[in-house]
């Protein structure tokens, strides 16, 4: 359709004379005394009103995205402001309707209800394909907007640009395409189609790929007449000064590596998750999440929460029975999800339960390793027993209970005939999970570090059990092997341990003798752990970082 977009607007909007801010009314000249807006003259850093027209932002965003600034609207409250404005500009309450595929992003329906607009839902095609013909068939003379979420939330599938074009050319009304996840999609944006279809509005956000959900900024790209009306209808100062500044500061951040990693992790998780016997289908995703249909979504959801993993349970929304939506995390987070799903599959759930006291008993069986761990944080370290089949590694591991002041029984039968990789990695994971489990809700523990000089070497370990996983490793080995263990396995061991026990672990060590170096590292970690898990007799509250680190 190539009608002027004014043809679809509400009469009250067409007749609007918008509020004009003090700074709107004047342009040009060299002003150094601002006494026009009743602001405080004292410089607090925030005493001046921000630019209501977002001139600098639109210029920069326009250059970044290759769009003329007069086609850009910038909204506060993320995309929600633009969604609400579309209703308020185009839809007459109590009379008009809009159409969307179901399931889709929930805000369209809620915002329709708030604005008293009828919201018509059309079921999806097979595998959640966008039902182009059915959507067009559902329109009538009061249909003002068709919502197209591409890639769609929560299903993940993108709508082919030809289909969007077909809707835009056939429909006599506004076609609003929400591209919140377009950075992850192979199709790219339909912004170039704006030049051809005056009824097209494209929504984008800084909340997803660009990593600024906390900032609450969204964008709409549209016909210049539409962008202008949106600017007239919005709250005059909808984006505050610090937010505009912060966005300008981060606008040129390069996200391409992160996006590439999310896409490759998404494809890896798709394959991993599809292999579980309790998974019925992993739907194709062009976004940064996966919709997974399982046998019993509520059960798996509850289990994952127990494991400290929160996914989105979509079981109760139409067309999504027994589905969970899982956002793609960092590789370490994704591995944690996979380990939790492994245990769910293997029925290991009861053994994950914390025993009375600060004890944990775990058994972990994979095709490569069979590991049993008993850990008692208040037990006798002398009674510990460790046997992984790797002598030197056992010697290192035994430093943990000995210097950590807890009891650790650990046996591992691994595929050492292949190599030591699986044994060392799975021991780290199981041990980390045992520590996490034994610590329970972490009452009475704190965050600690320890520096340990050992002969000519010096090792430092900092540990924080506050729940944020991070790992730093700076250890200068000069040899490839110490005893029967490759030195390259140690950073891997400690990063797996940190991730499994959800700790922030920083390790630094320097020295000439590689044996002393790694032994110093194990002892320093054990000592830091000892302090971190020590039961505080008097301060029986959840730990905080205040005054400690
Ligand atoms: C997350 C999301 C948005 C963006 O929301 P903001 O309010 O900008 O944070 C928009 N549309 C869809 C479909 C989303 O999933």
């Amino acid at each position: 359709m190539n009608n002027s977009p004014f043809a679809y607007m509400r009469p009250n909007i067409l007749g609007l004379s918008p509020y004009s801010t003090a700074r709107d009314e004047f342009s040009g000249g060299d002003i150094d005394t601002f006494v026009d807006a009743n602001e405080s003259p004292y410089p607090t850093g925030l005493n001046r009103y921000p630019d209501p027209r977002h001139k600098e932002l639109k210029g920069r965003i326009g250059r970044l995205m290759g769009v003329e600034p007069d086609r850009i609207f910038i909204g506060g409250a993320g995309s929600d402001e633009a969604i609400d404005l579309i209703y308020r500009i185009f839809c007459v309450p109590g009379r008009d309707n809009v159409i969307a595929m179901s399931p889709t992003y929930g805000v369209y329906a809620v915002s329709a209800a708030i604005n008293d607009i009828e919201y018509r839902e059309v079921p999806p095609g097979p595998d959640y394909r966008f039902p182009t013909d059915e959507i067009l068939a559902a329109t009538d003379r009061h249909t003002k907007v068709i919502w197209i979420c591409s890639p769609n939330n929560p299903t993940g599938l993108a709508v082919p640009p030809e289909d969007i074009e077909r809707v835009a050319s056939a429909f006599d009304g506004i076609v609003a395409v929400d591209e919140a996840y377009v950075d992850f999609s192979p199709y790219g944006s339909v912004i170039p189609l704006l030049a051809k279809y005056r009824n097209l509005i494209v929504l984008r956000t800084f909340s997803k790929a660009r990593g600024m959900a906390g900032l609450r900024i969204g964008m709409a790209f549209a016909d210049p007449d539409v962008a202008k009306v949106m600017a007239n209808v919005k709250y005059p100062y909808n984006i505050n000064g610090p937010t505009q500044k912060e966005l300008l500061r981060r606008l040129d951040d390069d996200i391409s590596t992160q996006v590439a990693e999310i896409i490759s992790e998404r494809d890896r998780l798709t394959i991993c998750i599809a292999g579980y016997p309790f998974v019925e289908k992993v739907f194709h995703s062009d976004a940064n999440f996966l919709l997974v249909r399982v046998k019993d979504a509520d059960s798996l959801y509850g289990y994952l929460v127990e494991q400290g993993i929160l996914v989105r349970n979509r079981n109760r929304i139409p067309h999504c029975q027994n589905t969970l939506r899982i956002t793609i995390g960092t590789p370490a987070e994704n591995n944690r999800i996979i380990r939790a799903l492994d245990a769910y599959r293997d029925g290991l759930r009861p053994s994950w339960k914390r025993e009375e006291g600060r004890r944990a008993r775990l058994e972990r069986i994979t095709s490569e390793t069979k590991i049993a761990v008993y850990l008692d944080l208040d037990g006798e370290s002398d009674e510990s027993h460790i046997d992984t089949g790797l002598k030197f590694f056992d010697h290192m591991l035994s430093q943990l209970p000995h210097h950590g002041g807890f009891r650790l029984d650990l046996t591992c039968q691994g595929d050492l005939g292949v190599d030591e990789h699986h044994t060392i990695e799975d021991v780290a994971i199981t041990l980390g999970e045992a520590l996490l489990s034994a610590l329970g809700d972490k009452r009475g523990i704190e965050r600690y570090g320890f520096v340990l000089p050992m002969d000519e070497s010096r090792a430092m370990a900092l540990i924080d059990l506050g729940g944020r996983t991070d790992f730093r490793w700076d250890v200068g080995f000069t040899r490839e092997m110490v005893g029967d263990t490759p030195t390259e396995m140690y950073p891997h061991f400690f990063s797996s341990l940190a991730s499994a026990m959800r700790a922030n672990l920083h390790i630094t060590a320097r020295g000439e003798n590689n044996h002393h170096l790694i032994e110093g590292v194990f002892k320093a970690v054990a000592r830091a752990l000892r302090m971190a898990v020590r039961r505080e007799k008097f301060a029986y509250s959840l730990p905080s970082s205040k005054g400690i680190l």
Side-chain angles (χ1 to χ4, degrees), residues 77-80 105 108 149 153 178 180-181 205 207-208 216:
S79 306
D80 298 349
Y105 188 44
Y108 315 141
C149 187
N153 178 6
D178 186 343
Y181 302 100
T205 179
S207 297
K208 305 288 157 63
R216 311 306 303 129

